[in-house]
Amino acid sequence: MDNITISVIKADIGGYVGHSSMHPNILTNAMQALDKAKGKGTIVDFHVGHCGDDLDLIITHRLGENAGEVHKLAWDIFVDCTEVAKELKLYGAGQDLLSDAFSGNVKGLGPGVAEMTIEERKSEPVLIFAADKTSPGSWNFPLYKMFADPFNTIGLVIDPSMHDGFVFDVLDVFNNRTVSLKTPEEMYDLLVLIGASEHYIVKAVHKKDGVIAAVTSPQKVNLMAGRYVGKDDPVMIVRCQSGLPAVGEVLEPFSMPYMVTGWMRGSHWGPFMPVAFEDANPTRFDGPPRVVAFGFQISNGSLIGPRDMFADLSYDLARTKANEVADYIRRHGPFEPHRLPLSDMEYTTLPQVLEKLKGKFK
Ligand code: F6R
Ligand code: MG
Ligand code: MG
């Protein structure tokens, strides 16, 4: 069996209404284009989803990571969907497309990308997470819990095939360098870095023999653009079971609606709410930030699914808690720590306001 590559490529190419959700015509447009590519044999299979105003293209193919053909396909879909968005005057049409010129790879052009190439196992359960109103560092906490915390993942303790631990690849987004740290040996070092989730982002997690377990989209669109364009609203792919965390161990970290950056104007801390697909439409104060989980079994490259993994009663309490936390922290209004610290506001619209104040200082 040839290797299969899972590419999740996403962009905000226009919101409906405001930044809250996705117009059905956009989804249909993307599905038709991918169906054509599937018919031609360019790709093996696909699923089109969304979280809030972010269009998520989930694609399987045999062309490997960073394949020009697949990236071009996704790029053309985003450009085409932008045209649909413009016709409907959807909000922020083409928001994440930073360039007119495609040059072989969507990285650096605005869209987020998470890709992994796998040797398909006898059974291959994969969870794909998509978020809205937050940033790539928001996967740090759950990845740590899934792959390094025995209070979350009992498999680390009792499954001999997990007992050796994992390796985390961490990206320093400001200096564009990567470090690999092993758990459990280097877990404190790992936490020194990834606890600062705006600076250090977990890019991938491997088994110690190199087998890929998880990848994220670490792109920071505002850093790329050098100005505030929008939030990066990341995606993540996690393989599950048989020597990797069980599906339930991968979902468990989201039972705690931990705090993430993003929300209104990309400028606030707020609780990360796990929701069913139909609830992936952030409205209150443009939020609170949300995450959905697409569950698939991969069969000879075909995506069997998705199952809507957070459409489960057992996440009700997390959602209630998230609403309580949202209510509480909202009462701080424009004050920190609801508002991000000044250092993290650099790529928001705030510096323009500060600039105007400059002359008033004596
Ligand atoms: C957050 C987000 C929204 C916008 C807000 C203002 O990621 O996209 O909260 O920042 O709605 O949008 P503009 O400046 O386009 O009016
Ligand atoms: Mg938007
Ligand atoms: Mg978004």
Side-chain angles (χ1 to χ4, degrees):
M1 169 55 63
D2 295 336
N3 286 345
I4 188 89
T5 302
I6 310 167
S7 298
V8 184
I9 308 184
K10 52 86 31 187
D12 175 350
I13 46 82
Y16 169 64
V17 170
H19 291 283
S20 67
S21 192
M22 178 78 39
H23 193 280
N25 291 8
I26 301 277
L27 296 169
T28 310
N29 199 67
M31 275 181 231
Q32 283 168 346
L34 286 169
D35 203 41
K36 227 189 211 168
K38 185 177 167 180
K40 279 200 221 154
T42 316
I43 61 172
V44 176
D45 204 2
F46 70 89
H47 177 75
V48 176
H50 79 97
C51 187
D53 57 5
D54 289 272
L55 179 61
D56 300 306
L57 310 179
I58 301 171
I59 302 170
T60 55
H61 56 92
R62 306 266 181 212
L63 300 168
E65 289 154 41
N66 294 310
E69 228 174 318
V70 174
H71 281 234
K72 173 91 168 64
L73 175 64
W75 179 260
D76 288 346
I77 291 173
F78 293 142
V79 170
D80 242 42
C81 287
T82 297
E83 286 312 308
V84 178
K86 280 182 181 162
E87 271 165 40
L88 299 172
K89 291 183 73 175
L90 299 182
Y91 196 71
Q95 170 180 307
D96 282 359
L97 308 186
L98 301 183
S99 163
D100 298 328
F102 178 79
S103 54
N105 195 302
V106 294
K107 281 182 195 160
L109 298 183
V113 188
E115 294 182 294
M116 65 159 70
T117 301
I118 59 172
E119 203 177 307
E120 199 178 296
R121 297 171 292 169
K122 196 169 82 189
S123 179
E124 188 63 63
V126 169
L127 298 186
I128 293 172
F129 294 87
D132 190 31
K133 304 295 178 272
T134 184
S135 65
S138 56
W139 304 131
N140 285 6
F141 175 89
L143 283 170
Y144 177 80
K145 302 284 279 182
M146 290 170 209
F147 290 99
D149 179 5
F151 281 75
N152 180 87
T153 300
I154 183 63
L156 294 166
V157 180
I158 64 175
D159 180 347
S161 60
M162 290 177 72
H163 200 82
D164 278 351
F166 290 89
V167 183
F168 286 69
D169 297 338
V170 179
L171 173 70
D172 170 351
V173 281
F174 289 98
N175 299 298
N176 201 18
R177 51 187 188 163
T178 310
V179 58
S180 293
L181 292 166
K182 297 189 184 80
T183 54
E185 306 90 297
E186 299 172 301
M187 65 190 271
Y188 297 155
D189 296 329
L190 176 67
L191 286 170
V192 166
L193 302 181
I194 69 170
S197 54
E198 284 300 280
H199 196 122
Y200 295 98
I201 294 173
V202 180
K203 255 174 60 167
V205 182
H206 305 261
K207 280 180 83 92
K208 286 197 172 145
D209 62 8
V211 166
I212 188 73
V215 290
T216 68
S217 62
Q219 292 79 23
K220 289 260 223 183
V221 72
N222 299 327
L223 276 184
M224 282 180 228
R227 64 190 155 88
Y228 184 69
V229 192
K231 282 312 272 187
D232 313 292
D233 301 335
V235 290
M236 165 166 78
I237 311 172
V238 187
R239 298 171 84 187
C240 312
Q241 306 287 157
S242 303
L244 296 170
V247 165
E249 289 167 336
V250 171
L251 294 170
E252 176 66 8
F254 297 94
S255 63
M256 205 294 252
Y258 59 97
M259 300 295 272
V260 295
T261 60
W263 207 345
M264 174 60 78
R265 297 174 189 276
S267 308
H268 294 80
W269 283 100
F272 206 21
M273 186 191 274
V275 292
F277 299 156
E278 64 176 5
D279 293 319
N281 312 298
T283 47
R284 179 178 182 190
F285 198 55
D286 286 0
R290 255 147 244 238
V291 52
V292 293
F294 303 89
F296 295 101
Q297 289 290 151
I298 297 183
S299 171
N300 301 314
S302 292
L303 291 160
I304 310 305
R307 275 216 58 232
D308 183 352
M309 304 309 284
F310 287 134
D312 177 1
L313 294 175
S314 59
Y315 283 88
D316 284 354
L317 211 55
R319 293 187 268 267
T320 300
K321 174 83 85 190
N323 275 326
E324 280 166 3
V325 171
D327 223 43
Y328 167 77
I329 197 146
R330 275 299 303 126
R331 296 293 173 268
H332 293 78
F335 286 80
E336 297 178 13
H338 185 22
R339 190 176 77 173
L340 299 189
L342 282 181
S343 54
D344 289 340
M345 297 288 283
E346 197 180 332
Y347 291 98
T348 68
T349 44
L350 184 98
Q352 296 165 34
V353 181
L354 276 177
E355 192 60 35
K356 275 172 76 179
L357 277 178
K358 247 184 181 169
K360 295 199 175 182
F361 282 96
K362 294 280 178 296

